[in-house]
Amino acid sequence: MKKSLCVIGLGYIGLPTSVMFAIHGHKVHGVDINEKAVEMINNKQLHIEENGLEERLKEAVESGHFKASTQPKEADVFIIAVPSPIREDKTANLDYVRSASEAIVPFVKKGDLVILESTVPPRTVEDVVIPELKKSGLEIGEDIFVSHSPERVIPGKVFQELVDNDRIVGGINEKSSAMTKELYESFVKGSIHLTDATTAEMVKVIENTYRDVNIAFANELALISEKVGVNVWEAIKLANYHPRVNIHTPGPGVGGHCIAVDPWFLAEIEPDLSNIIQLSRNTNDHMPQFTADTIEQLMKENNITDGKVAIFGLSFKANIDDQRESPSLKVIMKLVEKGISFQTYDPHIKDNVASNQTQDIDEALNEADVVAILTDHDAFKELDPVFVGSKMKNKIVFDTKNALPLGEWESAGFLIKRLGDSKN
Ligand code: SAJ
């Protein structure tokens, strides 16, 4: 049955989700506090980059099924997809989740469903969302229904994963779960697994924590490999041929608003029981420092004084425009501390997000001594080493993502240092 939906938060998750429901026949009223974003969305313009979003947004708006606004309104279903960041002290900041829950109170009515999609520490539905919704005077679980259905899509492949991924639905009771399942069946082709709200919260947080711990392991292996005469990329590739091994890849750090954040949700709840989780966070957080130290070392070894580094890659991972919590920004801070000159460049990031940023690759490379590859964008993998070398003062590359074809760059006269590789 087609429903009216009110989606709070039109960012990386809320906007694609709204658009999907709209093009599957539901009537969607999207809400965001960012007036400029609302205006752009209604004009079929993107305020974020995501593959396939542009044409779907156009279709959704033109169908008359999707409209954005700064204010919520009455609906059958409310979906909350707002940020849930961490504070400086690594505790969860649930202010947006709380204020979104509060904002819908005047509009919820008997029979409505409220779904929280934002990633949150276990018990947030019970301890934060429900107390707000109770202010409506409606009986929770009888008059209105509530569930947590965490988003699990990867930036860059959001539309594919929204459809194909399995979905976790945790209702506060069976009716809440059933209603939520029925709604997502509008477009989800993966299986929809039902559980309770707190378990669903836990599932989402442990998925990202698993990845963080695994990446920390890979980063530790990279540091060990540099000492023992091994290329970590080769070692991990070979180990992963084992049917029960799946080691992730090292890099200059872990960015994004999920993997570098969610493990703290568990650490906050049970600090004494989350040793590996906290150690992994700290290991990954140390990688930008290690990256900056290696750049400094490369300059010293090659007798470069007052050298210039070209930082390639500002987004937190390949082929996206999202620089939130990007390790690159932390590497830059460390370079500033060391007094090393640099220019930053990212073909995916059009706004000014970093110091000394340029949109011009020639300017970034001009008179540079070292190019540091911090994000494995396809555009970097396809770079012509002869062109890059022609602009630089010294031909040195620090490849933290194993992105470049080594032989080709060495043939072009480059000295290549690869993270986790004692031979290069
Ligand atoms: N990274 C590594 N090594 C790896 C994999 C990633 O260093 O082997 C780094 C990346 O470069 C990046 C960071 O980790 O800086 C995070 O990237 P990611 O691709 O692992 O994850 P996100 O943050 O884009 O998306 C994750 C996904 N979670 C899982 O894969 C378990 C996604 O499905 C979630 O929806 C998303 O978090 C979220 O919103 O929680």
Side-chain angles (χ1 to χ4, degrees), residues 21-85:
F21 278 116
I23 60 185
H24 286 82
H26 300 279
K27 221 52 194 152
V28 183
H29 177 83
V31 179
D32 204 290
I33 49 171
N34 179 345
E35 283 175 25
K36 185 158 176 257
V38 166
E39 195 187 315
M40 287 179 79
I41 290 166
N42 286 330
N43 287 327
K44 297 173 271 182
Q45 291 167 336
L46 298 186
H47 74 108
I48 52 167
E49 198 182 86
E50 177 57 45
N51 294 326
L53 179 57
E54 195 169 9
E55 59 267 30
R56 286 179 176 87
L57 175 63
K58 187 169 182 287
E59 187 187 340
V61 173
E62 286 177 357
S63 72
H65 281 221
F66 178 46
K67 204 166 167 23
S69 159
T70 53
Q71 294 300 325
K73 69 172 201 182
E74 281 202 357
D76 303 322
V77 182
F78 293 84
I79 296 180
I80 299 174
V82 293
S84 46

Side-chain angles (χ1 to χ4, degrees), residues 119 151-155 204 207-208 211 215 248-250 253-255 258-259 262 316-317 401:
T119 305
E151 64 79 12
R152 298 157 92 209
V153 290
I154 200 107
K204 170 60 200 252
E207 287 167 1
N208 282 349
R211 213 155 154 76
I215 296 166
H248 291 2
T249 54
V254 170
C258 311
I259 294 194
D262 301 354
F316 78 84
K317 64 179 199 174
K401 300 295 285 185

Side-chain angles (χ1 to χ4, degrees), residues 32-143:
D32 204 290
I33 49 171
N34 179 345
E35 283 175 25
K36 185 158 176 257
V38 166
E39 195 187 315
M40 287 179 79
I41 290 166
N42 286 330
N43 287 327
K44 297 173 271 182
Q45 291 167 336
L46 298 186
H47 74 108
I48 52 167
E49 198 182 86
E50 177 57 45
N51 294 326
L53 179 57
E54 195 169 9
E55 59 267 30
R56 286 179 176 87
L57 175 63
K58 187 169 182 287
E59 187 187 340
V61 173
E62 286 177 357
S63 72
H65 281 221
F66 178 46
K67 204 166 167 23
S69 159
T70 53
Q71 294 300 325
K73 69 172 201 182
E74 281 202 357
D76 303 322
V77 182
F78 293 84
I79 296 180
I80 299 174
V82 293
S84 46
I86 42 166
R87 298 194 176 88
E88 283 277 305
D89 66 356
K90 311 294 186 197
T91 58
N93 176 355
L94 297 175
D95 293 349
Y96 302 105
V97 171
R98 190 175 289 107
S99 61
S101 310
E102 195 182 8
I104 63 176
V105 166
F107 303 98
V108 285
K109 56 180 189 321
K110 208 168 173 191
D112 281 358
L113 170 67
V114 178
I115 304 169
L116 177 67
E117 280 215 19
S118 313
T119 305
V120 288
R123 292 208 55 81
T124 301
V125 165
E126 294 289 344
D127 296 346
V128 177
V129 177
I130 288 181
E132 289 299 331
L133 295 176
K134 276 188 178 159
K135 294 178 186 164
S136 66
L138 294 161
E139 197 63 43
I140 310 297
E142 294 218 2
D143 294 334

